[in-house]
Structure formats: structure tokens, C-alpha cells
Amino acid sequence: MPTLLEALENKYGFGDHREKIDETLVSIFVPKLPPRLSVPELLILNDCNIDKAGKPEDLRQKCCTVKELDLAQNKLEDWDEVFGILSHMPRVEFVNLSLNRLGGPIEIPQPWKMDRLRSLVLNNTKLEWYGVETLLQLLPVLEELHLSLNDYTHVLLDTTEEDANGCQTAEEPASGESESCQCSSFSTQSSQDKKHAVCKKTEAHHGIKKLHLTGNHISEWSEICRVGRLFPNLEALVLADCPLRSLTSAQNETNESNSAATPNSHEHFKTLTLLNLSNAKINNWDDIDRLAKFPALKNLRVQCWPLWEKCDSTEHERRQLLIARLPKINILNGGDVIGPVEREDAERSFIRYYLDKPESDRPERYFELVAVHGKLDPLVNIDLRPERRVKITFTYGETSEERTVDVYRTVVDLKSRLERIVGIPAAKMRLFYVDQDLRDLQGLEEMRYPHKRLYSYNIRSGDEIIVDQKH
């Protein structure tokens, strides 16, 4: 497998590229650009089977200007090789190592300085949480971290010794070992698995503002609260395709009556402005009300919840119910910013939606909106559909006859039914519509189009249709 340096030479033409020419052949010489002295600021080497760094001195010379590095889907397995690569890129700000097998332990390299790296993508690397902790210590200015598709079921880092899951300090660690806590949620695991179920106490990282955990198997909100404690300045959190069942832990649900002892869902997310919970397993409107209490949340995605499948309303009506319950949200499920007109319409629709519901079923938000808009009257249900059957006068020659007609029939269907009455084949029949109110102004209107429905002529009882024969 090639090293990073060899992949660079293959892509950018480093090294001696002189070719031997068979002097017996007639050749056309085309001027060739000299090889690059260094790679561009954006370096992409996806799926190149890279497993090692290469010669340090050559990497240092060629990669010193790189600011964005994409090494996704290679064969890197050793973090020492990764550190060897990054140590020769002092200006790098973005690194993508997704789909490399980097789940093993990380030893802190000495010496190490990486004070510009702000965005790190580690999707589908299976990196363990202890490795994440080491990287957080090494990257003080890191702002964006991607840990999607890493098969996490728990968040095994926390800043406290006791969390919402009843996480208690384990036996006193031996000299040199870090403090950790054994979570009650792991008590049913085998002894072999418990070594992976130790929640380690660590320091908070105040620089992380964006965290992606898409596609992990985290189902309890108490695990996400650890994320909030670990990254207290978090602004964007993506939890799409995580099977979260609620925004409160099962233990908290049983104690929710004692609000003083129950941590709020939003307690550790004071700066969060964007949250993606699409494809969660949430099935209760109470969790929407919990989202409304996040103090800074403005952008929310809650698509494809089981809750919407059992909701007896259209997609537009569901959006109105959500907007009314979430007064601070400006962007809902992507799209444009929610304007004041849409919000007021949603809030009024929300009030009317609960008018016919028992008072015990009305959420707290209903009474808040009634205080703003008043108790509205139900909308009048006006049926604007045309009257289905009308009485029309049919005139043929000197004969006139009043008949009831279904206005949803087409012109060709009406001609077929008139054949036996007037004795003219439908193919040779002409029909003229006469509006009783516009007879003198408009005159006759020929009904030319065979598949046009009668109601499109605005036919009403008392109007007339004249039957004539084509000549």
C-alpha cells in the first residue's frame, strides 16, 4: 500500500518525470509544466489505500502549506502515523479521517503542537471515547467534531462523578489511574463488556461549538446531557438517526412530579442554537414542549418521528402545531425563516385545534396563546363546491323541456344522454349555453370542448342549453 508521500507523487507529479524516448520513433515534443514544489492548500487523497506517512523530510517540504486535508477511506490504523502526517502540516485547520480504522488507543506524541486545527471529522472510525478525550486534550482550539456512525450506545465521558443515570464513583483507582464512574445503566452487561462501560471523569472542552453524532445507537437523553456538560459552549448538535426515545431519562420520568430534584432537558445546553433530532423514536408531544424551553434554540429538525404517524392532521397542520408550541424557533425542518404572519396563523390555528378538546387535554401553551389572541371562535365551514344537480331548460327547435342535470358530467356525456331525447346523434350535435342573467349582454356560448365538465360553465338552476344540429 502507498504512503501519503507516494500518493502525493502519483497525483501531483513530484519527483523525476523524465521519460526515455526511443530515438528510432518520430516523436512530437509537448512542453511540460515543472512538478509542483508543494501541494495546494486543499489536499484531497480519498480512497488511495494510504497506510503510512512517508519520509518526514519530504512531507515537511511538500505539505507545509496545507490548510484542509481529506484522507477519508484509506488504510490508516495507527494514530502515530496520523500524528506524523499532521506534524508536517503546521497550518492545517480541517482534517477528515472518516472510514479509516482508527479505533485503537491514542498515545500522546511528544513534542506536539497543533494549535490551528478547528474541524476534525472521524465518522465511521470506531474511535473509542477515551481516544476522543485524548484528542480533545491535544486540540485546544478545536471547534467542530464529527463522530457519526461510530456505534456508540453511551457517552463515556463526563465532567461529574455522578450524573442523571445515577453514575457513582467506582472503587478508588490505583496510583496513576484516572477517576472513573460505573453507570447503573451498564449493570446488566457481562464482565467482559463492562470494561467498555466505564464513564470517565474528564475536563470540559470549552472550544467545541459543533458536534455531529448522526447514526449512533444512543437512546437515552441522559447520555446526551453528558455531551452538554462536556461541551458547555455547544451551539450545534446533530443527532439525526439516533434512536432517542425521549428528552428525559426513564428515571426522571418517574420523578417528574418533583421538579426540584429533576434536571431539566435543556439544563446543559444554554448556548445551543441548532438541534437535529430527525428519525428519533420520540412519540410524545411533551418532548416538543421540552424543546421549547431550550433558551437559545433557533433552528430545529424533527422529521420522521413516530409521533407524526399517529397525528391525525395534514403535514401543513402539523407544522402549524409545531410552530405554535415552539415560540423561539425561527427555522423548522429547514427552509425559510418563520415570518410573523405564518407564526400568528399557526398560533390561531393551534387555539382552534384545541377548542373542541377536553380542558384536561389542552397543553399549557394553549392558555398562553389564549392570553395573547383571546378565545377565538371556530372558523365557519364554507362549502365552495358547486351545487351538484341543477334544473336546466333544454331547447330544441320549438320544443323546450326542463330537466335536472349533474354538473359533474362532461359535455360529451350530456350529448350522449340527449341523443334519445332530441333524436340527433352526439357526433352531429351542437350545444349552446345561455346564462339567464347575461343573456342580453353575452348571448350564446358554444360548448365546444367534449371533456369539459358542466360546472366549469358556472351553470345554475334556471339557465338554458340550446340544442342544434350540425349542417
Side-chain angles (χ1 to χ4, degrees), residues 55-118:
K55 295 180 180 180
E57 59 274 13
D58 292 337
L59 277 177
R60 187 178 302 111
Q61 178 184 0
K62 296 178 173 64
C63 298
C64 60
T65 61
V66 172
K67 289 187 176 180
E68 298 185 35
L69 175 64
D70 191 342
L71 293 177
Q73 201 168 348
N74 280 292
K75 305 296 183 183
L76 293 167
E77 298 182 11
D78 191 341
W79 276 99
D80 288 339
E81 294 294 333
V82 174
F83 293 139
I85 292 171
L86 297 181
S87 64
H88 302 303
M89 301 179 181
R91 299 183 182 181
V92 72
E93 299 176 359
F94 169 89
V95 175
N96 183 2
L97 296 170
S98 298
L99 293 163
N100 286 280
R101 290 172 287 184
L102 293 168
I106 301 176
E107 295 183 5
I108 300 178
Q110 296 293 340
W112 175 260
K113 183 181 180 182
M114 187 60 65
D115 54 5
R116 293 195 180 188
L117 185 57
R118 300 184 181 277

Side-chain angles (χ1 to χ4, degrees), residues 182-308:
Q182 184 67 48
C183 298
S184 61
S185 59
F186 304 138
S187 59
T188 58
Q189 293 178 310
S190 66
S191 59
Q192 183 178 1
D193 291 336
K194 279 186 178 180
K195 65 180 181 181
H196 301 295
V198 176
C199 177
K200 186 177 180 182
K201 182 181 178 183
T202 188
E203 297 294 326
H205 191 293
H206 294 271
I208 294 292
K209 296 181 179 179
K210 298 178 181 179
L211 178 65
H212 293 249
L213 287 169
T214 297
N216 286 296
H217 309 306
I218 301 171
S219 60
E220 295 294 334
W221 188 252
S222 56
E223 303 295 326
I224 305 303
C225 287
R226 290 177 179 164
V227 169
R229 290 190 288 268
L230 189 61
F231 306 121
N233 295 324
L234 199 63
E235 296 177 1
L237 178 58
V238 180
L239 299 170
D241 300 322
C242 292
L244 289 163
R245 295 173 292 190
S246 176
L247 295 189
T248 184
S249 66
Q251 180 181 355
N252 287 346
E253 286 178 353
T254 60
N255 298 330
E256 217 165 36
S257 58
N258 184 4
S259 57
T262 303
N264 294 318
S265 304
H266 60 277
E267 181 177 346
H268 305 291
F269 300 96
K270 293 181 172 61
T271 60
L272 193 69
T273 60
L274 182 150
L275 180 60
N276 187 336
L277 292 171
S278 292
N279 288 301
K281 302 299 181 184
I282 295 175
N283 201 24
N284 197 315
W285 280 103
D286 290 343
D287 287 312
I288 296 296
D289 295 332
R290 294 186 179 103
L291 287 170
K293 296 178 181 179
F294 281 62
L297 191 61
K298 302 295 182 184
N299 191 335
L300 178 66
R301 285 184 178 268
V302 288
Q303 294 162 304
C304 302
W305 281 12
L307 177 60
W308 314 142

Side-chain angles (χ1 to χ4, degrees), residues 48 64 69 106 159 175 181 270 293 347 359 386 435 449 463:
C48 293
C64 60
L69 175 64
I106 301 176
T159 59
S175 178
C181 52
K270 293 181 172 61
K293 296 178 181 179
E347 291 174 351
E359 188 167 343
D435 188 309
Y449 306 105
D463 289 344

